[in-house]
Amino acid sequence: MQYDLTIIGSGPGGYVAAIRAAQLGMKTALIEKYDSLGGTCLNVGCIPSKALLDSSEHFHNAKEHFAAHGIKTSSLEIDLAQMINRKDEVVSQTVSGIDFLMKKNKIDVLHGLGAFKDPHTIIVTDNKGETREISSKKTIIATGSKPITPSAFNYDKKRVITSTEALNISKVPKKMVVIGGGVIGLELGSVYARLGTEITVVEYLDRIIPGMDGDCSKELMRSLKKLGFTFHLRHMVTKVNAGKNNVKIEVQKRDSDETFEISADYCLVAIGRRPYTEGLQLENASVSVDEKGRVIVDDHLRTTHADIYAIGDVIRGAMLAHKAEEEGIFVVEQLAGQKPHINYNLIPGVVYTWPEVAAVGQTEEELKEKKVEYKVGKFPYKALGRARASMDVDGMVKILADKNTDEVLGVHIVGARAADMISEAVVAMEYRASAEDIARMSHAHPTYTEAVREAALMATENRPIHI
Ligand code: FAD
Ligand code: NAI
């Protein structure tokens, strides 16, 4: 079989690239080693984690907040099996949506492990060991990532787990230790904390979500402590030993020899993910990887072979589904002779805890490091009528603007619905809005978005209305 474009990996990078290629008239093949399409994101990432986050948040609200709203409940119980079933149902509906889209766009889907025989020939081996050979003018590598599991942590998938296993626990644990205070640790830690699990986070650096603005780290940590999280910042795990029913975690203070041990039902390892290229036989295609195992690409996302491109988690940059999607579209449109562009500075990042955290552009720490002169506008959720009405008063909107031009350089939100609100900031920054531009636009009342306007008013002229 001869294709214009073959994509290896059907995650959000790969399947979106396939659809765009079909729209542009390319004869397209998509290779996926698992039976279901959608990659990490749909099967064991974004979608199932958000399904469990929503279910657990409903339970938490019913338990903690309904009474204040005047709703009485009796015998509130968790049916974890049903919670997991609903999550599985959401995944299966979403995955079958991708099957439908592949058929609709006449994309050939080949299930099996893709490996390069040479730069223009790929061998696909299915799970029965049968092989097919296809040739392709161009190829996109979109093989994603896997969790990092150092050998000292003795990852056994039973007591020492990663996000994949944490999505399928059968009984609410009493205690869980999370290694890594990043996105996965805090999202999945929140799921179980809301269900009643005691969560202890061990984080190597001096703050959680370290890539985000420092004020977001502080705000989120305050909220998660209220939920019952315990944090050991500036600590590292030296060893994890799993027993049959529990696990012992050896922890050491980062800057001294002081050590202690924690026992728990589970240890969730969430210290980042690594690019996944196993089995691809990149050497047969002259495709190189860097010291971190990432496929090396240039500004056009072309690898070290001119006809092979790479996108998503397997290359440099943020490991986010929407970043992978943008890159898939970017490569395909280039192949079709168009001139697409990705503004990496304006890819938003979201943490789906409650309150949510969402950000776009530069953090205050980055501006300081670059010695950019900036102004800050910060508005607390508790000053919003909307937040009081819903009892979601934790959080703030922070806008960073250039001191001289007033251009918005970064927007950082912690609070209810931050994930959806960040889009306003992305649009504003894509059009290079000033803080005054945002401040002069009408924001519906009562909404959380009024905090964006108020923060912009503060950044531009330090004249908020409601504080
Ligand atoms: P992947 O989605 O990893 O897909 C790669 C695919 O390639 C896989 O299906 C794999 O089986 C296949 N493959 C690999 N090698 C081969 C081969 N040789 N032959 C054939 N097939 C192969 N991101 C967000 O933006 N928002 C979120 O809310 C979010 N939540 C997450 C929650 C969790 C628990 C996790 C783990 C991740 C989350 N992410 C989230 C990150 C997101 O899932 C990834 O950034 C995204 O899936 C990357 O897409 P991708 O297409 O590069 O790779
Ligand atoms: P992460 O990079 O977000 O966080 C890892 C954390 O572990 C960091 O705070 C780091 O300092 C810490 N750490 C590293 N090594 C450590 C050690 N030995 N001991 C203690 N702490 C250590 O990685 P995470 O949470 O595993 O997520 C992986 C990727 O998945 C992220 O890059 C993220 O982009 C993506 N993801 C995105 C989500 C979203 O967009 N909402 C949700 C979940 C995952």
Side-chain angles (χ1 to χ4, degrees):
M1 283 181 283
Q2 167 77 47
Y3 291 96
D4 296 323
L5 177 65
T6 297
I7 297 152
I8 311 179
S10 73
Y15 87 75
V16 168
I19 293 172
R20 189 70 188 114
Q23 286 173 345
L24 290 166
M26 298 176 202
K27 186 168 163 50
T28 308
L30 181 67
I31 304 175
E32 171 55 55
K33 71 173 183 169
Y34 291 126
D35 291 341
S36 72
L37 301 181
T40 303
C41 177
L42 270 60
N43 293 281
V44 291
C46 325
I47 300 298
S49 60
K50 267 79 252 179
L52 291 183
L53 277 157
D54 279 345
S55 297
S56 58
E57 183 62 10
H58 286 313
F59 173 76
H60 179 72
N61 272 330
K63 189 161 165 262
E64 303 293 335
H65 302 139
F66 273 18
H69 283 278
I71 304 167
K72 288 188 178 171
T73 49
S74 58
S75 71
L76 192 65
E77 276 180 57
I78 299 164
D79 180 350
L80 188 58
Q82 169 55 19
M83 222 176 252
I84 304 273
N85 281 343
R86 191 195 77 91
K87 178 265 296 174
D88 290 341
E89 189 57 29
V90 171
V91 168
S92 99
Q93 280 168 6
T94 314
V95 165
S96 47
I98 308 300
D99 293 334
F100 165 79
L101 290 171
M102 296 303 107
K103 286 198 187 95
K104 180 185 159 202
N105 287 286
K106 301 189 170 51
I107 294 158
D108 284 353
V109 174
L110 310 171
H111 286 282
L113 185 80
F116 286 100
K117 181 177 176 190
D118 62 54
H120 298 100
T121 313
I122 298 160
I123 298 172
V124 185
T125 308
D126 70 17
N127 52 19
K128 292 188 199 99
E130 281 167 27
T131 59
R132 273 180 290 183
E133 204 168 285
I134 63 172
S135 61
S136 192
K137 288 184 198 147
K138 308 277 178 189
T139 298
I140 299 178
I141 300 169
T143 48
S145 63
K146 293 279 180 207
I148 296 173
T149 51
S151 58
F153 295 175
N154 291 308
Y155 171 50
D156 67 356
K157 301 191 181 185
K158 293 189 182 91
R159 293 286 147 190
V160 187
I161 59 177
T162 65
S163 53
T164 304
E165 295 77 35
L167 295 167
N168 284 310
I169 290 179
S170 55
K171 194 173 143 218
V172 177
K174 265 202 157 71
K175 188 158 180 178
M176 182 184 279
V177 168
V178 177
I179 313 180
V183 204
I184 291 183
L186 302 182
E187 287 188 2
L188 292 175
S190 292
V191 166
Y192 289 102
R194 292 165 188 169
L195 301 182
T197 305
E198 213 182 296
I199 300 287
T200 301
V201 176
V202 182
E203 164 60 49
Y204 186 75
L205 296 177
D206 54 5
R207 62 186 176 98
I208 58 169
I209 46 169
M212 298 186 96
D213 192 277
D215 280 339
C216 294
S217 301
K218 278 188 217 139
E219 281 278 342
L220 181 62
M221 190 153 142
R222 208 174 298 139
S223 294
L224 293 178
K225 277 185 176 169
K226 280 199 242 168
L227 188 60
F229 274 59
T230 302
F231 291 99
H232 295 292
L233 303 182
R234 290 180 293 274
H235 279 74
M236 55 192 184
V237 170
T238 47
K239 186 120 185 116
V240 182
N241 294 307
K244 191 161 179 288
N245 297 315
N246 74 348
V247 58
K248 291 194 181 351
I249 296 108
E250 289 174 22
V251 184
Q252 186 183 335
K253 255 194 178 172
R254 192 187 66 186
D255 304 319
S256 81
D257 292 337
E258 199 183 307
T259 58
F260 56 94
E261 191 181 83
I262 317 177
S263 285
D265 301 296
Y266 290 97
C267 174
L268 171 62
V269 182
I271 59 166
R273 296 176 60 89
R274 60 177 173 87
Y276 184 72
T277 54
E278 276 145 50
L280 272 176
Q281 307 216 6
L282 293 178
E283 60 286 3
N284 295 342
S286 314
V287 172
S288 306
V289 298
D290 68 14
E291 72 292 346
K292 291 185 174 156
R294 301 174 296 195
V295 174
I296 297 171
V297 290
D298 64 13
D299 289 348
H300 299 276
L301 303 186
R302 193 184 281 133
T303 67
T304 40
H305 190 286
D307 291 330
I308 303 175
Y309 293 74
I311 59 172
D313 282 11
V314 80
I315 64 167
R316 84 283 180 277
M319 289 186 170
L320 294 173
H322 43 286
K323 177 251 191 194
E325 291 184 21
E326 290 305 323
E327 289 178 337
I329 291 169
F330 174 84
V331 168
V332 172
E333 290 185 349
Q334 276 186 103
L335 293 176
Q338 299 182 5
K339 298 217 168 352
H341 173 70
I342 299 178
N343 186 347
Y344 281 101
N345 184 41
L346 295 190
I347 292 178
V350 175
V351 188
Y352 294 82
T353 44
W354 199 263
E356 294 174 335
V357 186
V360 64
Q362 304 189 63
T363 63
E364 193 165 349
E365 292 76 16
E366 285 167 342
L367 294 178
K368 274 189 185 141
E369 202 182 305
K370 290 179 192 159
K371 300 198 167 36
V372 176
E373 290 191 313
Y374 63 91
K375 308 177 284 183
V376 186
K378 237 192 266 182
F379 190 83
Y381 262 47
K382 63 174 182 283
L384 284 178
R386 184 71 192 89
R388 280 192 302 274
S390 65
M391 284 177 55
D392 277 315
V393 289
D394 285 353
M396 54 106 204
V397 174
K398 172 174 175 179
I399 294 187
L400 300 164
D402 187 288
K403 192 170 179 188
N404 302 310
T405 66
D406 200 36
E407 180 176 351
V408 177
L409 302 175
V411 177
H412 307 276
I413 309 176
V414 181
R417 303 189 199 170
D420 297 291
M421 279 162 60
I422 201 65
S423 287
E424 172 181 1
V426 177
V427 173
M429 289 174 72
E430 278 289 0
Y431 285 93
R432 301 195 63 178
S434 62
E436 185 181 353
D437 289 331
I438 296 179
R440 288 190 181 280
M441 287 177 206
S442 177
H443 287 71
H445 174 73
T447 61
Y448 298 105
T449 66
E450 288 171 286
V452 176
R453 176 167 182 247
E454 293 271 11
L457 273 169
M458 286 183 81
T460 189
E461 285 180 20
N462 199 17
R463 53 174 184 88
I465 307 285
H466 288 95
I467 49 171

